[in-house]
Amino acid sequence: LTYYASINPYVLKISILSILSLAFSFTMVLMRKSVELPLGSLGIGLKKGPTGRATIAEIQDGSPLAGKLNEGDIVTAFKNGNITLNNPTLTYLLLELKRTEDVAFRELTVYIKGVSSQTRTLPKGSIGVKFRRGDSEDRATIVGFTPESPLKTEFKVDQVVSKIVTKCYGARLDPTCRDLVDILADTANEKGRLMEVS
């Protein structure tokens, strides 16, 4: 006995497009931040995390990085001058931190534990979102929405814009309020713009 399922190609096409649209319009990713490392001892403990990557295990009392790093943050890069080491192993990172403890211009990039970002595809035209200068590094921060904004249920007040992606400007990380407003105005007729907030 053979059973042949009857599938409407048009309905199947619409369903697949809907799934792809949903996948690309809403993405949750871990937030990253970079911290400049002082000279000398850092006063932090490191361990191998669940994924095998170097992870902050503890922040010791008196550490110069207290308040900048947290237990559970995952190390994604170590920068020494113009050299960047991505996804260093725990062993290699410990060796490099010890070797360069008297070297200036070091930087550690981590995934922030428990903090995520939200990415949405922006519609063409005005998005009806109001921004102001943020309290941190002049980053654009959402302060409100116009009544007709198509995004008033997607974003929230006080979220900070961490990335804007357009065909014309490419990807801009941590745009200032002025830059963001200019980019949105210049690309109002562009389809497929992406904005990431946290």
Side-chain angles (χ1 to χ4, degrees):
L1 180 65
T2 304
Y3 176 74
Y4 293 96
S6 177
I7 301 175
N8 186 323
Y10 179 75
V11 173
L12 180 61
K13 181 179 179 182
I14 293 299
S15 299
I16 292 174
L17 288 176
S18 299
I19 292 170
L20 289 175
S21 176
L22 180 61
F24 281 106
S25 66
F26 183 69
T27 309
M28 295 300 286
V29 297
L30 292 173
M31 283 293 294
R32 286 185 299 180
K33 70 175 177 181
S34 295
V35 176
E36 187 175 339
L37 303 180
L39 298 175
S41 175
L42 301 178
I44 61 173
L46 293 163
K47 66 179 181 180
K48 183 183 288 187
T51 61
R53 299 163 96 172
T55 302
I56 306 298
E58 67 170 328
I59 307 293
Q60 298 166 3
D61 292 339
S63 168
L65 297 176
K68 298 179 180 180
L69 295 174
N70 296 289
E71 291 182 17
D73 288 350
I74 301 169
V75 178
T76 63
F78 171 67
K79 186 176 182 180
N80 176 21
N82 294 324
I83 300 172
T84 300
L85 177 66
N86 292 313
N87 299 314
T89 63
L90 176 61
T91 302
Y92 194 77
L93 179 61
L94 289 171
L95 289 172
E96 282 298 295
L97 288 174
K98 181 66 176 173
R99 185 181 69 81
T100 63
E101 65 180 2
D102 294 322
V103 177
F105 308 113
R106 298 183 303 162
E107 190 176 79
L108 208 59
T109 300
V110 298
Y111 281 134
I112 307 171
K113 180 184 178 183
V115 178
S116 61
S117 66
Q118 173 185 345
T119 302
R120 287 288 192 189
T121 301
L122 304 180
K124 293 174 69 174
S126 173
I127 62 173
V129 180
K130 300 175 183 178
F131 302 97
R132 66 166 168 81
R133 290 178 56 179
D135 299 326
S136 174
E137 301 175 359
D138 194 31
R139 293 171 65 187
T141 303
I142 296 175
V143 293
F145 306 89
T146 61
E148 64 277 5
S149 172
L151 298 173
K152 61 185 176 183
T153 60
E154 310 295 332
F155 295 137
K156 297 177 182 178
V157 170
D158 290 333
Q159 285 185 314
V160 178
V161 178
S162 51
K163 185 192 298 183
I164 180 75
V165 182
T166 66
K167 293 175 184 175
C168 181
Y169 290 91
R172 292 285 184 92
L173 298 176
D174 301 325
T176 65
C177 185
R178 176 175 292 182
D179 285 346
L180 179 62
V181 170
D182 288 344
I183 290 171
L184 290 173
D186 291 345
T187 62
N189 294 320
E190 187 177 302
K191 185 178 179 181
R193 300 178 297 170
L194 298 174
M195 190 166 76
E196 178 184 276
V197 300
S198 60

